[in-house]
Amino acid sequence: MTRASNTQSDSDTESGTQGGTQGSTQGGTRGDVRGNVRGDVQPGPVTVSQEGLPGWLDPVVHAARTVQPRQLSRFLPPENGTGRQSAVLILFGAGGHGPELLLMERAGSLRSHAGQPSFPGGALDPADGDPHGDGPLRAALREAEEETGLDPSGVQLFGVLPKLYIPVSGFVVTPVLGWWREPSPVGVVDPGETARVFTVPVADLTNPDNRATALHPSGYRGPAFLVESALVWGFTAGVIDRLLHFAGWEQPWDREKQVPLDWRS
């Protein structure tokens, strides 16, 4: 099993996504939740439904239905079908400061991309099923549960974005959209992999003061967000940037404001 941190971060500097201290926990708690992973992703179909969603998610639903792959990234899955299938969970919730997203931060002791935020997610396991069917849905929920302690039974999946490709690692990533219908406690499950689990208000992500362009020595340039005492960049920031844009939530921001990265990033 490959963690989301490997799926998203080990090749973030080549993601090519166009454009490019703690928040609320949905009534849950942060910290170490080892031993609380439930294994609730049961065999059987995993459904995608927009029924009963809050109205503020309508623009995201519309974006998921209409966005084209090239509008999300210049890197798309190889036509020959190669690439390691993976999925991430883009989980929206209703927090104390309005709509928010669930993120996690890689452990500072990791050899690559230490401390980098990402969506929960990772590579598909054989038990997840058909990578061209509901396999990515099942993988996104399973990895989110394993990495954050999230109870997947409280998540309503409502959309899937086009598959994206990360050339350096060869990952084909399916972004799965979820609504945190029934919040549950979340926190660090494996401290060796994850430093913290946190939420970010969408209002903070759209605030122009929190936006910048990340610059990596490799030549990578892409959107970045300075939120919750973290720098969100690479694949994760690129997907968030495109979601905000196509949902109509983006506000004008200074693209000349730059945040330099180093080779350890």
Side-chain angles (χ1 to χ4, degrees):
M1 177 182 62
T2 303
R3 294 292 186 191
S5 50
N6 293 329
T7 301
Q8 298 176 65
S9 302
D10 288 354
S11 47
D12 265 341
T13 57
E14 299 292 337
S15 65
T17 310
Q18 293 179 355
T21 305
Q22 301 171 339
S24 111
T25 57
Q26 296 273 329
T29 57
R30 287 193 180 80
D32 194 332
V33 294
R34 287 173 290 179
N36 292 336
V37 177
R38 292 164 289 277
D40 289 338
V41 184
Q42 300 297 328
V46 179
T47 60
V48 175
S49 171
Q50 292 84 41
E51 183 177 356
L53 293 176
W56 56 263
L57 276 174
D58 288 348
V60 181
V61 173
H62 177 74
R65 288 175 174 169
T66 59
V67 71
Q68 299 300 307
R70 288 286 181 191
Q71 293 176 307
L72 292 178
S73 176
R74 62 191 178 96
F75 291 125
L76 302 181
E79 295 182 357
N80 62 7
T82 58
R84 189 172 186 187
Q85 297 292 327
S86 62
V88 296
L89 180 64
I90 305 176
L91 185 60
F92 290 89
H97 298 283
E100 61 185 15
L101 277 176
L102 178 69
L103 296 176
M104 50 181 279
E105 186 176 299
R106 285 167 60 89
S109 59
L110 294 176
R111 289 180 297 176
S112 62
H113 303 283
Q116 187 170 340
S118 68
F119 299 118
L124 270 68
D125 283 350
D128 293 324
D130 184 0
H132 303 291
D134 65 2
L137 308 180
R138 195 178 303 282
L141 289 173
R142 174 183 54 75
E143 287 281 348
E145 180 183 16
E146 293 176 357
E147 292 175 331
T148 73
L150 173 78
D151 183 352
S153 67
V155 175
Q156 176 181 340
L157 302 182
F158 67 88
V160 179
L161 296 178
K163 292 179 182 288
L164 305 176
Y165 185 59
I166 303 180
V168 166
S169 63
F171 277 108
V172 175
V173 185
T174 300
V176 179
L177 300 169
W179 158 239
W180 209 347
R181 177 173 44 83
E182 298 179 5
S184 57
V186 294
V188 173
V189 175
D190 182 356
E193 292 281 346
T194 306
R196 63 173 175 147
V197 176
F198 62 103
T199 55
V200 181
V202 171
D204 288 354
L205 294 167
T206 59
N207 186 340
D209 292 340
N210 297 333
R211 304 210 56 179
T213 296
L215 301 179
H216 193 274
S218 66
Y220 167 86
R221 295 174 58 97
F225 300 85
L226 297 100
V227 290
E228 301 297 327
S229 302
L231 173 64
V232 183
W233 66 282
F235 177 88
T236 303
V239 172
I240 294 174
D241 172 79
R242 294 294 80 197
L243 268 179
L244 296 179
H245 175 78
F246 287 106
W249 294 343
E250 183 180 36
Q251 299 180 34
W253 56 282
D254 183 6
R255 298 175 186 273
E256 298 304 314
K257 177 183 175 181
Q258 299 178 351
V259 178
L261 305 167
D262 60 34
W263 283 110
R264 295 172 296 176
S265 299

